[in-house]
Amino acid sequence: MRMYDIIMKKRNGEELSSEEIKFFISGYTKGEIPDYQVSAFLMAIYFRKMNERETADLTMAMVNSGEIVDLSAIEGIKVDKHSTGGVGDTTTLVLGPIVAAAGVPVAKMSGRGLGHTGGTIDKLESFDGFSVEMPIAKFIEDVNKYKIAIGGQTANLAPADKKLYSLRDVTATVDNLSLIASSIMSKKIASGADAIVLDVKTGSGAFMKDEDSSFELAKAMVDIGTHVGRNTIAVITEMDQPLGFAVGNALEVKEAIDTLNGKGPEDLTELCLTLGAHMLVLGNKAKNAEEAREILTEIISSGKGIEKLKELVEAQGGNPEFVTNPDLMPLPAIVEEVKISESGYVKEIKADDIGRAALVLGAGRETKESLIDLSVGIVIHKKIGDFVLKGEAIATIYANDNSKKVEADKMILEAYTIVNEKVEKNKLIKGIVTCQGIKKI
Ligand code: URA
Ligand code: CA
């Protein structure tokens, strides 16, 4: 087999065989196929596309390019959740504990990564002493004992995806449905998930800005899961404004604690109940989404959810006192309100720009080497549809550096669009994609 022929075949719009896809992934991972051939091949895929079978083969070839985490020693159906990424998304910190409290094993391997704020692991480090460093044996033991553990991602998970993603980034071939879907799904499958719930974000703060392409991406991922025997459901959700109010690390942990105490933002609570309900159904802990929702609502109101978070923090070396008293978490030197100079209704909040303002403050990483300041970030007070009065605070900035605070203040004000006419609130849940098809809400 020659890479040249495979490139030619796809360039001419033909369907590739499983063997050809495996040859490409294995050769590229081993360094036997050069970047210039793969660049041409990616561009051919970009224009000619891949069908469902080719996309599933590509995914499994990437899964098999590295280590596959074996979670078979964990009792029950391991249901993983993945979000395509948004601003201020704290769902994992809420979902993990409530789903675990309902009896579904949560064996979460999370990353740090680049972004507006840190990843789940960074956020959890707001609990003094919390660590994800542990041997796989303890990870499995913890999940069996507490139904939840959060570990770091192994370095050798889907290495083909790592190489391909970097190359796509510099060859203008990121935004192809088959390439995105296989990239995301390969990592989920390699980390041992039996079933997968996807939160596909749509809107200004999301990877997919328009609804149609978000549904298409969701369908591509559900098709892969179905094809390779992993029950997969995707929920398409709004990301036209930050989720909840908090964007930061310790600030988002506090927001998660509020939500577990039944006092969280409406949208974050609703999203967690929706995604969690699907996780319970896939994990065989409820007959349908309605029953699952009741179970989860009871878990929050009875305090079992917050107790589960405390258990998790303690099991991984963190100080559980912080869960009861989140004010123990690090606070920055500067806490200042952002005041608006006009009255009206909030029409738009550019989620990306709020995210970038949090990044400027030091809440996230610009490069792999950047250090995160867990204490800084933004809490917005007004969401789309809310009325604001001239001079009122639309947000509070948490900062450790005055010039950065000034910059963030300007960015937040620019992210908001205020109009005179009344504005309708956004719908959070846009639809669901299952192996049975697409249901728009
Ligand atoms: N996230 C991924 O992991 N891969 C992509 O291709 C796009 C987003
Ligand atoms: Ca939030």
Side-chain angles (χ1 to χ4, degrees), residues 87-90 242-248 251-252 255 265 268:
V87 179
D89 191 343
T90 323
L243 185 65
F245 300 111
V247 184
L251 292 170
E252 285 187 34
E255 186 162 81
L268 177 61

Side-chain angles (χ1 to χ4, degrees), residues 108-142:
K108 188 94 194 144
M109 311 228 174
S110 276
R112 293 182 190 275
L114 307 177
H116 304 129
T117 65
T120 298
I121 296 182
D122 299 296
K123 290 176 193 169
L124 281 166
E125 284 173 354
S126 305
F127 297 109
D128 201 23
F130 189 92
S131 168
V132 295
E133 303 304 329
M134 65 182 119
I136 185 84
K138 175 173 157 52
F139 179 75
I140 289 172
E141 196 185 304
D142 275 11

